[in-house]
Amino acid sequence: MEAVTAAQVLSEIGYLLRQQEKERFRAKAFAAASWSIALSRPDLDELARTESLTSIEGVGEGIARVLADLIRTGESRYLNRLREQMQQPVQEDETDLDFDDYMGDIHSHSNWSDGRATMLEMAEGAQAMGYSYLGVTDHSPRITVVHGLNAERLVAQSREIAEVQKQVDGVALLQGIEVDILEDGALDLPDAVLEILDVVIASPHVKLRQEPAAMTERMMRAVSNRHVDVIGHPTGRRPGSREGATYDFEAVFKQAAKNGIALEIDCDPARMDLSPEMARMARDLGCDFVVDADAHAPAEFAYVPMALWMARRAGIPKERIRNFRPSWD
Ligand SMILES: [Zn+2]
Ligand SMILES: [Zn+2]
C-alpha cells in the first residue's frame, strides 16, 4: 500500500470525526498520523508484516488497527462505516488523482509575513517534494498582525526571491500575494501592484459573518477583478469550530468560472475549504481548481498529499486542477 493512499484515508477519517463534537481528540490524532505518514512515507507493507505500525510517529494501537485493516484489504471498514454514519456515501464519479502528477503548490507563506520559515527553507521544502514551481504568496498589508506586504516590501521581497532562486534548482519560484478581500469586495492592494505579480490569490479573512447579500456582493466583486487568479479558502470555514461565510455560492462560482478564476481547495486540516460537497457543486458550475497546502512551514507541504482525497471525492478531473499542469502560466 502506497503511503500517500493510506495518509488520505486517515485524513478523511480525521475530517469526518472532526464534525462530531465528542470525537475532536480522536480527529486530531488521525490527522496527525496522516500528516506523519505523508511526510515520512514509511514502507507500510513491511511494517504491517512485522506488526510494527506503531513505530510510525503519531500511530498508536487504535490507528494501527485501522491501518492494518486498510493495508490487508485495500479498503478501510472504519472509514466506510463513518461515511455511512455521516451520510456521505461513496460517489459514483470519484476521480483517480495521483499525487505523483501534482506539479506545484501555489499558496505558501514565508517569514516575510506569518510563515515560520525563510523563503530559502520553503523553496528547499518544495524541491524535496519534487515540485516544479512554488507560489510565494505572503499576506497583504491589511493583515497588520502578520506584517503584511505593501508595494515597497514586495519589491524588497522580489530581490530575495531572485537570490533564493539561484540557490534552488528545479523549482520555479513565483512571486505572488494572498491579498485580502476587503468588506466591500475591493482588494487590499492597488491594481498596479497586483498586475506585476505572478500569482494573485484573493481570500476572505475577516468579517465572514456579513449578511449574505453583502457577502455575495463582496465576493462577486472579487471574482470580477481581472488580476485575481484564485479565490483562496472561499468560505473561510474551520471544520468543527467556525462555519464560514454564507453567500450566493452559485452566482459567485459561476462568475469565477466565466472569468477563469480558480477556486481553492485549501488542504490545511484546520480549513479543508472548499469542502468536497461545495467543490462538487463548483465543478458542476464549470469552475477550475487549485489544491494547495497554504504551508507556513516546509513540513506543511505534506497537507496536499494527505488531503488530495477531497478533490477525488468532489469528482474533479485532473484537467480542471491547475496544479497538475506542468507550469503556472
Ligand atoms: Zn488565508
Ligand atoms: Zn494563506
Side-chain angles (χ1 to χ4, degrees):
M1 159 119 342
E2 288 260 6
V4 167
T5 309
Q8 290 184 35
V9 169
L10 298 189
S11 165
E12 185 174 351
I13 291 172
Y15 173 74
L16 292 173
L17 288 173
R18 193 184 282 241
Q19 311 184 31
Q20 305 177 15
E21 190 73 46
K22 59 181 197 316
E23 299 286 13
R24 292 283 164 76
F25 183 74
R26 209 154 26 155
K28 276 214 173 106
F30 272 95
S34 167
W35 190 21
S36 155
I37 289 172
L39 264 179
S40 62
R41 314 274 177 92
D43 181 342
L44 292 175
D45 297 317
E46 176 61 16
L47 292 177
R49 201 181 55 76
T50 55
E51 290 180 22
S52 40
L53 287 165
T54 51
S55 67
I56 303 169
E57 207 186 316
V59 175
E61 294 289 343
I63 295 180
R65 273 196 299 277
V66 172
L67 267 177
D69 176 51
L70 170 67
I71 294 163
R72 196 173 54 244
T73 66
E75 235 191 302
S76 169
R77 281 175 291 181
Y78 184 62
L79 173 59
N80 290 344
R81 236 186 356 257
L82 268 178
R83 279 177 163 190
E84 242 169 72
Q85 260 175 33
M86 306 292 292
Q87 295 173 342
Q88 301 196 357
V90 178
Q91 302 275 356
E92 295 282 306
D93 61 352
E94 288 188 14
T95 41
D96 208 12
L97 299 169
D98 189 345
F99 177 66
D100 289 340
D101 301 331
Y102 179 93
M103 301 303 290
D105 192 320
I106 62 124
H107 184 172
S108 73
H109 298 269
S110 70
N111 59 6
W112 277 81
S113 66
D114 63 347
R116 295 183 299 282
T118 63
M119 204 181 305
L120 178 61
E121 289 163 336
M122 293 303 284
E124 286 170 343
Q127 186 183 41
M129 297 295 285
Y131 293 166
S132 300
Y133 49 93
L134 173 69
V136 179
T137 53
D138 280 300
H139 288 284
S140 65
R142 149 77 164 267
I143 313 284
T144 46
V145 282
V146 303
H147 202 28
L149 277 70
N150 57 16
E152 206 171 85
R153 292 190 67 228
L154 276 165
V155 171
Q157 190 194 37
S158 74
R159 281 186 225 116
E160 185 174 324
I161 290 182
E163 276 313 304
V164 170
Q165 186 69 82
K166 284 185 209 155
Q167 298 169 62
V168 181
D169 279 338
V171 185
L173 299 176
L174 308 168
Q175 188 178 22
I177 191 85
E178 181 177 14
V179 64
D180 226 51
I181 303 174
L182 304 176
E183 279 94 316
D184 64 355
L187 300 183
D188 190 28
L189 281 168
D191 285 0
V193 174
L194 298 179
E195 91 192 339
I196 57 169
L197 296 169
D198 302 315
V199 187
V200 174
I201 302 177
S203 305
H205 286 112
V206 294
K207 295 272 162 62
L208 297 173
R209 302 313 309 157
Q210 255 177 339
E211 278 297 298
M215 193 71 204
T216 300
E217 215 171 293
R218 175 181 179 185
M219 296 304 291
M220 281 301 263
R221 195 166 164 199
V223 291
S224 304
N225 186 310
R226 65 193 172 89
H227 299 301
V228 173
D229 300 302
V230 174
I231 298 294
H233 46 75
T235 76
R237 75 184 192 136
R238 302 263 174 181
S241 63
R242 186 172 81 195
E243 248 188 68
T246 304
Y247 50 92
D248 184 343
F249 298 114
E250 194 173 320
V252 171
F253 294 176
K254 262 190 191 154
Q255 188 72 4
K258 186 172 154 231
N259 293 339
I261 294 175
L263 302 181
E264 182 177 63
I265 295 178
D266 186 315
C267 296
D268 178 342
R271 291 192 180 276
M272 301 192 126
D273 181 14
L274 295 172
S275 69
E277 298 75 33
M278 296 272 291
R280 175 172 287 273
M281 171 184 141
R283 176 203 68 173
D284 292 342
L285 294 168
C287 292
D288 266 3
F289 298 86
V290 293
V291 177
D292 296 317
D294 196 354
H296 286 67
E300 294 179 6
F301 283 126
Y303 290 164
V304 168
M306 67 192 259
L308 204 53
W309 66 267
M310 294 206 301
R312 285 210 332 261
R313 288 280 279 159
I316 304 169
K318 199 171 128 179
E319 308 76 59
R320 300 265 294 272
I321 305 174
R322 294 189 185 168
N323 317 73
F324 283 81
R325 296 182 186 169
S327 66
W328 184 266
D329 49 39

